[in-house]
Amino acid sequence: MDFNPKDLNSITLFEMDEGNWLDIGKIKNNTNAKFQITIEGDFLIVQANDKVMDVPTYQTWLNYARKYLGYTVDSEYDVFNIVDDGWIYEIDLKKFPLIEGNNHRLLMYERR
């Protein structure tokens, strides 16, 4: 899922298909959507509204941490806190501030 934290009206969903990301389009960012992103105070909150999901990966943060903070593929990337396992996760933006720029990507996987 791609999103712009300065404009959370819509998010763009992608689906992995045999190693390729397929753009499945923009959706409204609300409680009727498959996923929802909100920023409340100092927290970025990701919520599943349809199916249970694994803890998301904040791809933009991973890339930034590897490039500028010396993180490696073996580093711990526990940026999400569990609020409601499978449904709601949050990032403390004081500890992990949003990266400058408009494009942010979260990887989210439904539990099977």
Side-chain angles (χ1 to χ4, degrees):
M1 160 177 31
D2 285 1
F3 70 99
N4 178 346
K6 295 177 183 171
D7 179 11
L8 291 174
N9 291 317
S10 66
I11 53 181
T12 304
L13 294 182
F14 293 85
E15 184 174 86
M16 178 63 75
D17 181 37
E18 297 183 14
N20 296 311
W21 288 109
L22 302 177
D23 185 342
I24 55 176
K26 285 189 177 259
I27 61 167
K28 294 273 187 203
N29 184 24
N30 59 40
T31 55
N32 296 323
K34 189 173 194 170
F35 303 108
Q36 179 181 359
I37 298 175
T38 56
I39 296 176
E40 298 177 20
D42 291 323
F43 292 90
L44 181 140
I45 300 165
V46 179
Q47 180 172 336
N49 296 321
D50 184 26
K51 296 181 181 175
V52 177
M53 67 176 169
D54 285 327
V55 178
T57 302
Y58 185 14
Q59 188 68 42
T60 306
W61 178 261
L62 255 76
N63 293 343
Y64 177 83
R66 287 177 181 162
K67 186 172 182 179
Y68 296 106
L69 304 178
Y71 283 44
T72 68
V73 293
D74 297 321
S75 299
E76 294 293 325
Y77 294 101
D78 298 325
V79 298
F80 278 98
N81 294 315
I82 297 170
V83 176
D84 183 4
D85 188 34
W87 297 99
I88 303 173
Y89 300 93
E90 68 182 13
I91 296 175
D92 181 340
L93 294 176
K94 286 185 179 178
K95 187 174 179 182
F96 301 102
L98 290 169
I99 310 304
E100 287 298 318
N102 294 332
N103 298 320
H104 291 254
R105 176 164 285 178
L106 291 172
L107 303 181
M108 303 172 67
Y109 302 96
E110 293 174 353
R111 291 186 188 166
R112 303 259 177 214

